[in-house]
Coordinates of all heavy atoms in Angstrom, one line a residue:
G1 N 0.8 -1.2 0.0 CA 0.0 0.0 0.0 C 0.9 1.2 0.0 O 2.1 1.2 0.1
L2 N 0.2 2.4 -0.1 CA 0.9 3.7 -0.1 C 1.4 4.0 1.3 O 0.8 3.7 2.3 CB 0.0 4.8 -0.5 CG -0.4 4.7 -2.0 CD1 -1.4 5.8 -2.3 CD2 0.8 4.9 -2.9
S3 N 2.6 4.6 1.4 CA 3.2 5.0 2.7 C 2.4 6.3 3.2 O 2.1 7.1 2.4 CB 4.6 5.3 2.6 OG 5.4 4.2 2.1
P4 N 2.1 6.4 4.5 CA 1.5 7.6 5.0 C 2.5 8.7 4.9 O 3.7 8.5 4.7 CB 1.2 7.2 6.4 CG 2.2 6.1 6.8 CD 2.4 5.4 5.5
A5 N 2.0 10.0 5.0 CA 2.9 11.1 4.8 C 3.9 11.2 6.0 O 5.0 11.6 5.8 CB 2.1 12.4 4.7
T6 N 3.4 10.9 7.2 CA 4.3 11.0 8.4 C 4.5 9.6 8.9 O 3.5 8.8 9.2 CB 3.7 11.9 9.5 OG1 3.5 13.2 8.9 CG2 4.6 12.0 10.7
I7 N 5.7 9.2 9.1 CA 6.1 7.9 9.6 C 6.9 8.0 10.9 O 7.9 8.8 10.9 CB 6.9 7.1 8.6 CG1 6.0 6.9 7.3 CG2 7.4 5.8 9.1 CD1 6.7 6.2 6.2
T8 N 6.5 7.3 12.0 CA 7.2 7.4 13.3 C 7.8 6.1 13.7 O 7.2 5.0 13.5 CB 6.2 7.9 14.3 OG1 5.6 9.1 13.9 CG2 6.9 8.1 15.7
S9 N 9.0 6.1 14.3 CA 9.6 4.9 14.8 C 8.8 4.4 15.9 O 8.2 5.1 16.7 CB 11.0 5.1 15.2 OG 11.1 6.0 16.3
I10 N 8.6 3.1 16.0 CA 8.0 2.4 17.2 C 8.9 1.6 18.0 O 8.5 1.1 19.0 CB 6.7 1.6 16.7 CG1 7.1 0.5 15.7 CG2 5.6 2.5 16.2 CD1 6.0 -0.5 15.3
T11 N 10.1 1.4 17.5 CA 11.1 0.6 18.2 C 12.5 1.0 17.7 O 12.6 1.6 16.6 CB 10.9 -0.9 18.1 OG1 11.8 -1.6 18.9 CG2 11.0 -1.3 16.7
S12 N 13.6 0.6 18.4 CA 14.9 0.7 17.8 C 15.0 -0.4 16.7 O 14.5 -1.5 16.9 CB 16.0 0.6 18.8 OG 15.9 1.7 19.7
G13 N 15.7 -0.2 15.7 CA 15.9 -1.2 14.7 C 16.5 -0.6 13.4 O 17.0 0.5 13.4
N14 N 16.5 -1.4 12.3 CA 17.0 -1.0 11.0 C 16.0 -0.2 10.3 O 14.8 -0.4 10.2 CB 17.4 -2.2 10.2 CG 18.6 -2.9 10.8 OD1 19.5 -2.3 11.4 ND2 18.7 -4.2 10.5
W15 N 16.6 0.9 9.6 CA 15.7 1.8 8.8 C 15.0 1.0 7.7 O 13.8 1.2 7.5 CB 16.6 2.8 8.1 CG 15.9 3.9 7.4 CD1 15.2 3.7 6.2 CD2 15.7 5.2 7.7 NE1 14.7 4.9 5.8 CE2 14.9 5.9 6.7 CE3 16.1 6.0 8.8 CZ2 14.6 7.2 6.8 CZ3 15.7 7.3 8.9 CH2 15.0 7.9 7.9
S16 N 15.6 0.0 7.2 CA 15.1 -0.8 6.0 C 14.0 -1.8 6.5 O 13.4 -2.5 5.7 CB 16.2 -1.5 5.2 OG 16.8 -2.5 6.0
S17 N 13.8 -2.0 7.8 CA 12.9 -3.0 8.3 C 11.5 -2.4 8.6 O 11.4 -1.4 9.4 CB 13.4 -3.5 9.6 OG 12.5 -4.4 10.2
P18 N 10.5 -2.9 7.9 CA 9.2 -2.3 8.1 C 8.7 -2.3 9.6 O 8.0 -1.5 10.0 CB 8.2 -3.2 7.3 CG 9.1 -3.7 6.2 CD 10.5 -3.9 6.9
S19 N 9.2 -3.3 10.4 CA 8.8 -3.4 11.8 C 9.3 -2.3 12.7 O 8.9 -2.1 13.8 CB 9.2 -4.8 12.4 OG 10.6 -4.9 12.3
T20 N 10.3 -1.5 12.2 CA 10.8 -0.3 12.9 C 9.8 0.8 12.9 O 9.8 1.6 13.9 CB 12.1 0.2 12.3 OG1 13.0 -0.9 12.3 CG2 12.7 1.4 13.0
W21 N 8.8 0.8 12.0 CA 8.0 2.0 11.7 C 6.5 1.7 12.0 O 6.0 0.6 11.9 CB 8.1 2.4 10.3 CG 9.6 2.6 9.9 CD1 10.3 1.8 9.1 CD2 10.4 3.7 10.3 NE1 11.6 2.3 9.0 CE2 11.7 3.5 9.7 CE3 10.2 4.8 11.1 CZ2 12.8 4.3 9.9 CZ3 11.3 5.7 11.3 CH2 12.6 5.4 10.7
N22 N 5.8 2.7 12.4 CA 4.3 2.6 12.7 C 3.5 2.2 11.5 O 2.4 1.7 11.7 CB 3.8 3.9 13.4 CG 3.8 5.1 12.4 OD1 4.5 5.1 11.4 ND2 3.1 6.1 12.8
C23 N 4.0 2.4 10.3 CA 3.2 2.1 9.1 C 3.5 0.6 8.7 O 2.8 0.2 7.7 CB 3.6 3.0 8.0 SG 5.4 2.9 7.6
N24 N 4.4 -0.1 9.3 CA 4.9 -1.4 8.9 C 5.3 -1.3 7.4 O 5.0 -2.2 6.6 CB 3.8 -2.5 9.0 CG 4.4 -3.9 9.0 OD1 5.5 -4.1 9.5 ND2 3.7 -4.8 8.3
C25 N 6.0 -0.2 7.1 CA 6.5 0.0 5.7 C 7.9 0.7 5.9 O 8.3 0.9 7.0 CB 5.6 0.9 4.9 SG 5.4 2.6 5.6
V26 N 8.5 1.0 4.8 CA 9.8 1.7 4.8 C 9.6 3.1 4.3 O 8.9 3.3 3.3 CB 10.8 0.9 4.0 CG1 12.2 1.7 3.9 CG2 11.0 -0.5 4.5
P27 N 10.1 4.1 5.0 CA 10.0 5.5 4.5 C 10.5 5.7 3.1 O 11.4 5.0 2.6 CB 10.8 6.3 5.5 CG 10.8 5.5 6.7 CD 10.9 4.0 6.2
T28 N 9.8 6.6 2.4 CA 10.2 7.0 1.0 C 10.5 8.5 1.0 O 10.5 9.2 2.0 CB 9.0 6.7 0.0 OG1 8.0 7.7 0.3 CG2 8.4 5.3 0.2
S29 N 10.9 8.9 -0.2 CA 11.2 10.3 -0.4 C 10.1 11.3 -0.1 O 10.3 12.5 -0.1 CB 11.8 10.6 -1.8 OG 10.8 10.2 -2.8
A30 N 8.9 10.8 0.0 CA 7.7 11.6 0.3 C 7.3 11.6 1.8 O 6.4 12.1 2.2 CB 6.5 11.1 -0.5
S31 N 8.2 10.9 2.6 CA 7.8 10.7 4.0 C 8.4 11.7 4.9 O 9.6 12.1 4.8 CB 8.3 9.3 4.5 OG 7.9 8.3 3.7
D32 N 7.6 12.2 5.9 CA 8.2 13.0 7.0 C 8.4 12.0 8.1 O 7.5 11.5 8.7 CB 7.1 14.1 7.4 CG 6.9 15.1 6.4 OD1 7.9 15.7 5.9 OD2 5.8 15.4 6.0
V33 N 9.7 11.8 8.4 CA 10.1 10.7 9.3 C 10.4 11.3 10.7 O 11.1 12.3 10.8 CB 11.3 10.0 8.8 CG1 11.8 9.0 9.8 CG2 11.0 9.3 7.5
I34 N 9.8 10.7 11.8 CA 10.0 11.1 13.1 C 10.7 9.9 13.9 O 10.1 8.8 13.9 CB 8.7 11.5 13.8 CG1 8.1 12.7 13.1 CG2 8.9 11.8 15.3 CD1 6.7 13.0 13.5
I35 N 11.8 10.2 14.5 CA 12.5 9.2 15.4 C 12.1 9.6 16.8 O 12.4 10.7 17.3 CB 14.0 9.2 15.3 CG1 14.4 9.1 13.8 CG2 14.6 8.1 16.1 CD1 14.0 7.9 13.1
D36 N 11.4 8.6 17.5 CA 11.0 8.9 18.9 C 12.2 8.9 19.9 O 13.2 8.3 19.6 CB 9.9 7.9 19.3 CG 8.5 8.4 19.1 OD1 8.3 9.5 18.6 OD2 7.5 7.7 19.5
P37 N 12.0 9.5 21.1 CA 13.1 9.8 21.9 C 14.0 8.7 22.4 O 15.2 8.8 22.6 CB 12.5 10.5 23.1 CG 11.2 11.1 22.6 CD 10.8 10.1 21.5
T38 N 13.4 7.5 22.5 CA 14.2 6.4 23.1 C 14.7 5.4 22.0 O 15.3 4.4 22.3 CB 13.4 5.6 24.1 OG1 12.3 5.1 23.4 CG2 13.0 6.4 25.3
H39 N 14.6 5.8 20.7 CA 14.9 4.8 19.6 C 16.2 5.2 18.9 O 16.5 6.3 18.7 CB 13.7 4.8 18.6 CG 12.4 4.4 19.2 ND1 11.2 4.8 18.6 CD2 12.1 3.7 20.3 CE1 10.2 4.3 19.4 NE2 10.8 3.6 20.3
T40 N 16.9 4.1 18.6 CA 18.1 4.2 17.7 C 17.8 3.5 16.4 O 17.4 2.3 16.5 CB 19.3 3.6 18.4 OG1 19.6 4.3 19.5 CG2 20.5 3.6 17.4
V41 N 17.8 4.2 15.3 CA 17.5 3.6 14.0 C 18.8 3.5 13.2 O 19.5 4.5 13.0 CB 16.4 4.4 13.2 CG1 16.2 3.8 11.9 CG2 15.1 4.4 14.0
N42 N 19.1 2.2 12.8 CA 20.4 2.0 12.1 C 20.1 2.2 10.6 O 19.2 1.5 10.0 CB 20.9 0.6 12.3 CG 21.2 0.3 13.8 OD1 22.0 1.1 14.4 ND2 20.7 -0.7 14.4
L43 N 20.9 3.1 10.0 CA 20.8 3.3 8.6 C 21.6 2.2 7.9 O 22.8 2.4 7.6 CB 21.3 4.7 8.2 CG 20.8 5.2 6.9 CD1 19.3 5.6 6.9 CD2 21.6 6.4 6.4
D44 N 20.9 1.1 7.6 CA 21.6 -0.1 7.1 C 21.6 -0.3 5.6 O 22.0 -1.3 5.1 CB 20.9 -1.3 7.8 CG 19.5 -1.4 7.4 OD1 18.8 -0.4 7.4 OD2 19.0 -2.6 7.2
A45 N 21.0 0.7 4.9 CA 20.9 0.7 3.5 C 20.7 2.1 3.0 O 20.3 3.0 3.8 CB 19.7 -0.2 3.0
P46 N 20.9 2.4 1.7 CA 20.6 3.8 1.3 C 19.1 4.1 1.5 O 18.2 3.2 1.3 CB 20.8 3.7 -0.2 CG 21.8 2.6 -0.4 CD 21.4 1.6 0.7
A47 N 18.8 5.3 2.1 CA 17.5 5.6 2.5 C 17.1 7.0 2.1 O 17.9 7.8 1.8 CB 17.4 5.5 4.1
Q48 N 15.8 7.2 2.1 CA 15.2 8.5 1.7 C 14.2 9.0 2.7 O 13.5 8.1 3.3 CB 14.6 8.4 0.3 CG 15.5 8.1 -0.9 CD 14.8 8.1 -2.2 OE1 13.7 7.5 -2.3 NE2 15.4 8.7 -3.2
A49 N 14.0 10.3 2.8 CA 12.9 10.9 3.5 C 12.8 12.3 3.0 O 13.7 12.9 2.5 CB 13.2 10.9 5.0
K50 N 11.6 12.8 3.2 CA 11.3 14.2 2.8 C 11.9 15.1 3.9 O 12.7 16.0 3.6 CB 9.8 14.5 2.7 CG 9.5 15.9 2.2 CD 8.0 16.0 2.0 CE 7.6 17.4 1.6 NZ 6.1 17.6 1.6
T51 N 11.6 14.8 5.2 CA 12.2 15.5 6.3 C 12.5 14.4 7.4 O 11.9 13.3 7.4 CB 11.2 16.5 6.9 OG1 10.0 15.8 7.4 CG2 10.8 17.5 5.9
L52 N 13.4 14.8 8.3 CA 13.7 13.9 9.4 C 13.7 14.7 10.7 O 14.4 15.8 10.8 CB 15.1 13.3 9.2 CG 15.7 12.5 10.4 CD1 14.8 11.2 10.6 CD2 17.1 12.1 10.2
T53 N 12.9 14.3 11.7 CA 12.8 14.9 13.0 C 13.2 13.9 14.0 O 12.7 12.8 14.1 CB 11.4 15.4 13.3 OG1 10.9 16.3 12.2 CG2 11.3 16.1 14.6
I54 N 14.2 14.3 14.8 CA 14.7 13.4 15.9 C 14.4 14.0 17.2 O 14.8 15.2 17.5 CB 16.2 13.2 15.8 CG1 16.6 12.5 14.4 CG2 16.7 12.3 16.9 CD1 18.0 12.3 14.1
K55 N 13.6 13.3 18.0 CA 13.1 13.8 19.3 C 14.0 13.4 20.4 O 14.4 12.2 20.5 CB 11.6 13.4 19.5 CG 10.6 13.9 18.5 CD 9.2 13.5 18.9 CE 8.2 14.2 18.0 NZ 6.8 13.9 18.4
G56 N 14.3 14.3 21.3 CA 15.0 14.0 22.5 C 16.3 13.3 22.3 O 17.1 13.7 21.5
A57 N 16.5 12.1 22.9 CA 17.7 11.3 22.7 C 17.6 10.3 21.6 O 18.4 9.4 21.5 CB 18.0 10.6 24.0
G58 N 16.6 10.5 20.7 CA 16.5 9.6 19.6 C 17.8 9.7 18.7 O 18.5 10.7 18.8
L59 N 18.1 8.7 17.9 CA 19.3 8.6 17.2 C 19.2 7.9 15.9 O 18.5 6.9 15.8 CB 20.4 7.9 18.1 CG 21.8 7.9 17.6 CD1 22.4 9.3 17.7 CD2 22.6 6.9 18.5
V60 N 19.8 8.4 14.9 CA 20.0 7.7 13.6 C 21.5 7.3 13.6 O 22.4 8.2 13.6 CB 19.6 8.5 12.4 CG1 20.0 7.8 11.1 CG2 18.1 8.8 12.4
N61 N 21.8 6.0 13.5 CA 23.1 5.5 13.5 C 23.5 5.2 12.1 O 23.0 4.3 11.5 CB 23.2 4.2 14.4 CG 24.6 3.6 14.4 OD1 25.6 4.3 14.3 ND2 24.6 2.3 14.6
Y62 N 24.4 6.1 11.5 CA 24.8 5.9 10.1 C 25.8 4.8 10.0 O 26.9 4.9 10.6 CB 25.3 7.2 9.6 CG 24.3 8.3 9.4 CD1 23.9 9.1 10.4 CD2 23.7 8.5 8.1 CE1 22.9 10.1 10.2 CE2 22.7 9.4 7.9 CZ 22.3 10.2 9.0 OH 21.3 11.2 8.8
L63 N 25.5 3.8 9.2 CA 26.4 2.7 9.0 C 27.0 2.9 7.6 O 26.4 2.8 6.6 CB 25.7 1.3 9.0 CG 24.9 1.1 10.3 CD1 24.2 -0.3 10.3 CD2 25.9 1.1 11.5
A64 N 28.3 3.2 7.6 CA 29.0 3.5 6.3 C 28.8 2.3 5.4 O 28.8 1.1 5.8 CB 30.5 3.7 6.5
P65 N 28.7 2.5 4.1 CA 28.8 3.8 3.4 C 27.4 4.4 3.1 O 27.3 5.2 2.2 CB 29.4 3.3 2.0 CG 28.8 2.0 1.8 CD 28.6 1.4 3.1
Y66 N 26.4 4.0 3.8 CA 25.0 4.4 3.4 C 24.7 5.8 3.9 O 25.2 6.3 4.9 CB 24.0 3.4 4.0 CG 24.3 2.0 3.6 CD1 24.6 1.0 4.6 CD2 24.3 1.6 2.3 CE1 24.8 -0.3 4.2 CE2 24.6 0.3 1.9 CZ 24.8 -0.6 2.8 OH 25.1 -1.9 2.5
L67 N 23.9 6.5 3.1 CA 23.5 7.8 3.4 C 22.0 8.0 3.3 O 21.3 7.2 2.7 CB 24.1 8.8 2.3 CG 25.6 8.9 2.3 CD1 26.1 9.7 1.1 CD2 26.2 9.4 3.6
L68 N 21.5 9.0 4.0 CA 20.1 9.3 4.0 C 19.9 10.6 3.1 O 20.6 11.6 3.4 CB 19.6 9.6 5.4 CG 18.2 10.2 5.6 CD1 17.2 9.2 5.1 CD2 17.9 10.5 7.0
S69 N 19.1 10.5 2.1 CA 18.8 11.6 1.2 C 17.5 12.3 1.7 O 16.5 11.6 1.8 CB 18.6 11.1 -0.2 OG 19.8 10.4 -0.7
L70 N 17.6 13.6 2.0 CA 16.5 14.3 2.5 C 16.0 15.3 1.4 O 16.8 15.8 0.6 CB 16.9 15.1 3.7 CG 17.2 14.3 5.0 CD1 17.7 15.2 6.1 CD2 15.9 13.5 5.4
G71 N 14.7 15.5 1.4 CA 14.1 16.5 0.6 C 14.3 16.4 -0.9 O 14.4 17.4 -1.7
M72 N 14.4 15.2 -1.4 CA 14.6 14.9 -2.8 C 13.3 15.0 -3.6 O 12.3 14.6 -3.1 CB 15.2 13.5 -3.0 CG 16.5 13.3 -2.3 SD 17.8 14.4 -2.8 CE 18.3 13.7 -4.3

């Protein structure tokens, strides 16, 4: 199905894993992504998002050589 406009992490895990996100999907270049305060999301593959909001102590762990493309 189509990804919702805003996607929020529900657990720590891999960006590419649908189970990390409240939509049970993977964010796309049209997604406003929110990382909740206690979550660490591992960028384990090339990823896209329209915007990225990290709340509190939330974290995106960049695993080389992968990058997150924003606002594409």
